[in-house]
Amino acid sequence: MSEEPTDQFSEREALLFHSEGRPGKIEIIASKPMATQRDLALAYSPGVAVPVKAIADDPATAYDYTAKGNLVAVISNGTAILGLGNLGALASKPVMEGKAVLFKRFADVDSIDIELKTEDVDRLIDAIELMEPSFGGINLEDIKAPECFIIEQTLRERMNIPVFHDDQHGTAIICAAGLINACLLTNRKLEDVKVVVNGAGAAAIACTELMKAMGVRQNNVIMCDRTGVIYQGRDDINQWQSAHAAVTDRRTLTEALHGADVFLGLSAAGALKPEMVKDMAKSPIIFAMANPEPEIRPELAKAARPDAIVATGRSDYPNQVNNVIGFPFIFRGALDVRATGINDEMKIAAANAIAELARQRVPEEVALAYGTQHSFGPEYIIPAPFDPRLMELVPSAVAKAAMDSGVATRPILDMAAYRQKLRARLNPTTSVLTLAYEGARAHPKRVLFAEGEEEVVLRAAIAFKEGGYGTPVLVGRDDVHDRLAALGVAKPEEYEVHNSRTSTLVPEMVDFLYGRLQRRGYLRRDAERLINQDRNTFAATLLQLGHADAMITGVTRTYAKTFRDVRRVIDPVDGKVPFGIHLLVGQSHTVFIADTTVNERPSGEELADIAERTAAVARRMGHEPRVAFLSYSTFGNPHGQWIDNVRAGVAALDERNVSFEYEGEMAPDVALNPRQMKNFPFARLSGPANVLIMPGLQSANISAKLLRELGGDDMIGPMLIGMEKPVQIAPMTSTASELVTLAVLAAGGIAR
């Protein structure tokens, strides 16, 4: 149920995403330094012999001296890949790599994909069992039923680490969470609800088993397959289906649904008809989880029964049953207590934690991205997939259940400290960026792509449109539609293109620009030339006149030249200086660096303004700002003539009574290294700085570009802040993906 609809991107874009740069989606990064001969001697021979002997003496120490305790194997034989069927082990590798990425992205769990070329159940079991020394857990994926039941059950019996088939239990846990809340809203009790499950595969059986474990009565559940009701006495079903055979005289889905409280669909598109919904009980609960097309569209279900609560597997409807809400966090909790398995108690704890989260107030960053304040109700029974609180609440609930049920081998003694550790493990920026994309889909905007003849820009525009983030408005010449067709766009004429040679808007644009520039030495013919020949001026004027909501440019000209073009047309907000921010984004941290693009030698007051507005951006991205004004000097040592503006900036903030931490002047190592900061006990920062205010453009721009080329973290930006209209100027080396990110940030109001 966790896969996104495939109509959000073209096949070409998907293939380019997987092939550009380093092929695939994962790589191995050393976690210890490997720079010197001594490093190598410690990492391998002879130093490695010491932990080898320790583990031989006490196998439990493998969790202390190796990566085993944070390493999950994502394993498939490719017999049930997504909705595509049995395409073989090798074809499943992109999916398994994707699963590994999700583990890392959402729960900081390292994982390796393993594709096994066999459909022999015994060989598969033996191969996986032999891997136990290498991994802390096993995630089975895309293995067809009924073999998946045999494989998982046998491995759980033979192995002493968690084994979890996500296609079954991940869907079941999220479904159970939604069912808890839907019953709460409709004043039902689990033990009383009458449930019809349409589908009899791995996920359907897992959902049914978990519901029953949580209190739904055996005789209140009817399961159906393609043939109809699975009833006691049917002789064409397997042993796992027969365990849920009902004592009933109903034989069809239509008959089964008469008076039913709940429909759980894990079957096929269109299986649930509106007339069936009408025949269900008051306030019916409908989980139509076939993907990408559900058993019934929510609007059809609501038309038949306005009192219905509806969930699907899709991201473009409320109440998405998305496995990513579950499996990363379940493994996180299981690994952290070194659980020997994942039992029903842990699954139920995860479902209850997820259900409870949906009933809590939605945090500001989630509401900002979606453009609405979600609150618990029929349209919000399952939390947003990118709610940052999932990382804290679900693993801690799973870990506690593992301890209470006796499968934890390393209990957590201080749960409050553990929850704090979980909060610090992931970077809020990654959640906010993802939420920005979700918000763009919810509230699409018109974004100008000023360099519409460049392939990278066209690819970005295609991704922007097909991702549902908004409407790309291309600026270019006559052949733009031909270029789109060459890139595989089926209907290039659907793309809006503005050509200054043919646009009927040109006279209005010239009038506007001439009125703006006539007292700056420009003649009317100068304004005409700029509108007709300069794509940035043309695009910026379209934006200023309200023909779009935001603008992205920069890949064909230097930043300074592009900024001058834009400034002819668009002013800064409130007369304050605009500036640029680079974001250095790591797994567990983000550092905001400003000003990296505009102001060569800002005054103290300007530095204070830049600090305040950068701190505001940091807060919009989920961080509590700690601002450091950087210099080669730390509190006067060494003394020099180029630190006056930095000191003046700190003094200006002293007078403004701002609500964030700040300090300076200080060298970067003092700002970022707690051991260095201890030498200055009077410093006002409570921890390493995450907002770095640079003293001038030279040091700022050089630092940002060095970090982009040499640093190990991702770099986003520069983001242009402080213009009266949303404009972003991308680096000339930007990829299509980077252009889309800047376009989404501009349209969504995060970069403003």
Side-chain angles (χ1 to χ4, degrees):
M1 301 316 109
S2 60
E3 298 305 316
E4 296 293 326
T6 56
D7 58 358
Q8 294 179 354
F9 43 79
S10 66
E11 290 186 3
R12 173 185 171 84
E13 188 67 22
L15 292 174
L16 285 170
F17 176 87
H18 285 80
S19 63
E20 284 186 328
R22 184 189 294 266
K25 298 187 286 287
I26 61 175
E27 63 177 318
I28 303 297
I29 301 292
S31 62
K32 300 294 188 294
M34 295 293 161
T36 67
Q37 180 61 39
R38 180 175 175 79
D39 293 338
L40 296 177
L42 285 166
Y44 195 52
S45 182
V48 74
V50 178
V52 166
K53 292 175 183 177
I55 294 169
D57 292 338
D58 181 3
T61 61
Y63 288 90
D64 300 315
Y65 302 130
T66 75
K68 176 182 173 73
N70 195 50
L71 191 60
V72 169
V74 180
I75 299 177
S76 181
N77 66 352
T79 52
I81 304 174
L82 305 177
L84 304 174
N86 186 350
L87 300 181
L90 185 59
S92 74
K93 187 170 179 64
V95 183
M96 301 309 114
E97 282 189 1
K99 198 81 171 190
V101 169
L102 295 179
F103 267 114
K104 189 65 176 179
R105 158 64 179 82
F106 284 96
D108 194 25
V109 172
D110 295 321
S111 58
I112 296 175
D113 65 293
I114 297 174
E115 295 74 35
L116 297 175
K117 187 181 177 183
T118 180
E119 295 186 24
D120 185 295
V121 169
D122 292 330
R123 291 184 69 194
L124 198 63
I125 290 171
D126 290 343
I128 297 171
E129 182 186 4
L130 292 172
M131 297 180 197
E132 181 169 347
S134 297
F135 298 100
I138 303 292
N139 184 94
L140 303 174
E141 194 80 15
D142 290 357
I143 301 172
K144 68 183 177 71
E147 289 88 338
C148 61
F149 303 121
I150 302 170
I151 293 165
E152 185 193 34
Q153 183 58 40
T154 305
L155 290 173
R156 289 177 62 183
E157 294 170 357
R158 293 186 186 180
M159 300 181 78
N160 207 36
I161 58 175
V163 178
F164 187 81
H165 185 203
D166 186 50
D167 297 324
Q168 297 180 56
H169 309 300
T171 301
I173 289 165
I174 313 308
C175 181
L179 182 60
I180 290 168
N181 282 339
C183 287
L184 187 64
L185 287 169
T186 56
N187 296 312
R188 291 180 167 104
K189 295 181 179 179
L190 283 176
E191 58 266 29
D192 297 329
V193 294
K194 296 180 180 179
V195 182
V196 174
V197 180
N198 195 47
I205 289 173
C207 286
T208 304
E209 289 177 346
L210 187 59
M211 279 191 305
K212 291 178 178 179
M214 295 177 69
V216 176
R217 294 175 183 167
Q218 169 85 16
N219 59 1
N220 279 352
V221 179
I222 295 177
M223 181 177 287
C224 301
D225 62 7
R226 292 185 182 90
T227 303
V229 171
I230 295 176
Y231 56 89
Q232 289 193 5
R234 260 187 67 174
D235 57 7
D236 60 342
I237 53 177
N238 61 44
Q239 66 187 80
W240 296 276
Q241 295 166 338
S242 66
H244 303 289
V247 179
T248 180
D249 57 0
R250 303 185 186 193
R251 293 295 181 264
T252 67
L253 176 62
T254 300
E255 292 174 357
L257 280 169
H258 176 69
D261 299 297
V262 180
F263 170 86
L264 295 184
L266 297 119
S267 52
L272 182 63
K273 307 300 181 185
E275 54 269 24
M276 299 179 187
V277 175
K278 291 179 180 179
D279 199 32
M280 293 178 68
K282 180 182 178 182
S283 300
I285 300 167
I286 298 169
F287 281 50
M289 295 178 285
N291 228 352
E293 186 61 34
E295 284 82 0
I296 188 170
R297 288 265 182 165
E299 59 269 24
L300 294 178
K302 292 278 192 178
R305 289 293 296 274
D307 59 341
I309 295 177
V310 186
T312 72
R314 293 179 61 121
S315 64
D316 52 350
Y317 287 110
N319 299 325
Q320 184 188 12
V321 179
N322 190 330
N323 287 14
V324 80
I325 297 173
F327 72 85
F329 311 111
I330 293 163
F331 268 99
R332 178 76 276 151
L335 292 171
D336 288 341
V337 295
R338 298 180 188 174
T340 57
I342 295 174
N343 55 27
D344 280 349
E345 290 87 346
M346 295 161 74
K347 297 173 198 172
I348 292 170
N352 281 319
I354 293 166
E356 170 62 27
L357 181 57
R359 298 194 292 270
Q360 295 181 12
R361 187 184 66 82
V362 176
E364 182 179 353
E365 57 265 34
V366 176
L368 176 66
Y370 284 98
T372 183
Q373 184 64 51
H374 288 301
S375 59
F376 179 57
E379 299 295 296
Y380 192 75
I381 60 171
I382 299 171
F386 307 105
D387 192 320
R389 298 170 298 173
L390 285 163
M391 178 57 166
E392 176 186 351
L393 298 180
V394 180
S396 57
V398 170
K400 185 177 185 304
M403 293 187 288
D404 292 344
S405 61
V407 298
T409 63
R410 191 185 67 172
I412 294 169
L413 301 179
D414 188 339
M415 189 59 70
Y418 175 58
R419 290 174 66 148
Q420 175 61 35
K421 183 179 177 182
L422 290 170
R423 282 197 297 271
R425 193 153 193 154
L426 288 182
N427 185 353
T429 297
T430 55
S431 291
V432 172
L433 288 173
T434 308
L435 286 166
Y437 276 85
E438 296 301 307
R441 287 198 190 108
H443 303 277
K445 301 289 179 62
R446 290 168 55 82
V447 176
L448 280 156
F449 289 77
E451 298 151 312
E453 296 156 359
E454 303 298 317
E455 179 176 336
V456 67
V457 174
L458 291 175
R459 284 174 44 210
I462 293 168
F464 189 80
K465 182 177 187 295
E466 295 183 346
Y469 308 127
T471 301
V473 181
L474 296 166
V475 173
R477 299 302 185 189
D478 299 332
D479 63 346
V480 171
H481 286 132
D482 294 336
R483 292 172 185 256
L484 287 166
L487 290 173
V489 175
K491 297 180 179 180
E493 67 278 1
E494 292 182 351
Y495 283 74
E496 183 178 342
V497 178
H498 286 262
N499 183 345
S500 62
R501 293 173 180 169
T502 59
S503 174
T504 59
L505 299 172
V506 165
E508 175 192 7
M509 297 168 73
V510 171
D511 288 343
F512 169 81
L513 188 62
Y514 181 53
R516 178 179 170 82
L517 300 179
Q518 61 191 2
R519 293 184 181 275
R520 302 185 200 175
Y522 286 77
L523 301 175
R524 184 175 181 85
R525 63 173 175 264
D526 296 324
E528 291 172 344
R529 176 181 55 79
L530 287 168
I531 292 295
N532 287 320
Q533 298 181 18
D534 187 274
R535 66 181 82 189
N536 285 326
T537 303
F538 181 79
T541 306
L542 284 174
L543 178 63
Q544 190 71 284
L545 292 176
H547 297 290
D549 301 304
M551 171 180 164
I552 182 81
T553 185
V555 301
T556 61
R557 300 182 187 180
T558 65
Y559 192 100
K561 175 65 170 69
T562 303
F563 182 69
R564 287 195 298 271
D565 294 340
V566 171
R567 277 287 284 111
R568 286 196 196 99
V569 185
I570 301 173
D571 291 324
V573 174
D574 299 329
K576 294 184 178 181
V577 294
F579 62 95
I581 301 175
H582 276 83
L583 277 65
L584 191 67
V585 182
Q587 176 66 22
S588 59
H589 65 271
T590 290
V591 176
F592 301 80
I593 308 173
D595 165 30
T596 55
T597 59
V598 179
N599 301 285
E600 185 171 4
R601 193 66 183 166
S603 67
E605 286 291 330
E606 289 170 339
L607 285 177
D609 287 342
I610 291 169
E612 278 202 78
R613 288 186 283 166
T614 306
V617 173
R619 279 184 168 147
R620 287 197 292 272
M621 302 197 80
H623 299 267
E624 186 56 36
R626 294 184 297 275
V627 177
F629 287 77
L630 295 189
S631 171
Y632 64 87
S633 169
T634 299
F635 305 121
N637 183 23
H639 181 73
Q641 60 178 322
W642 300 111
I643 60 176
D644 291 344
N645 66 329
V646 178
R647 288 183 172 178
V650 176
L653 286 188
D654 288 340
E655 295 179 358
R656 297 184 187 187
N657 192 30
V658 296
S659 63
F660 55 84
E661 296 178 14
Y662 62 94
E663 188 56 282
E665 80 279 5
M666 60 204 313
D669 55 343
V670 177
L672 298 170
N673 188 328
R675 288 179 299 173
Q676 284 278 37
M677 193 175 289
K678 284 182 180 179
N679 294 319
F680 306 93
F682 56 85
R684 293 176 286 189
L685 297 184
S686 61
N690 55 12
V691 175
L692 306 180
I693 304 303
M694 307 297 278
L697 187 57
Q698 285 204 42
S699 57
N701 195 264
I702 290 169
S703 298
K705 289 181 177 177
L706 278 173
L707 288 168
R708 180 186 291 278
E709 298 303 324
L710 301 178
D713 291 344
D714 293 331
M715 182 75 82
I716 295 175
M719 297 193 307
L720 181 58
I721 307 297
M723 300 296 286
E724 65 181 6
K725 294 286 186 178
V727 178
Q728 290 301 319
I729 301 174
M732 295 178 70
T733 55
S734 296
T735 64
S737 179
E738 289 167 340
L739 291 174
V740 172
T741 296
L742 282 176
V744 167
L745 291 175
I750 289 177
R752 63 177 187 264

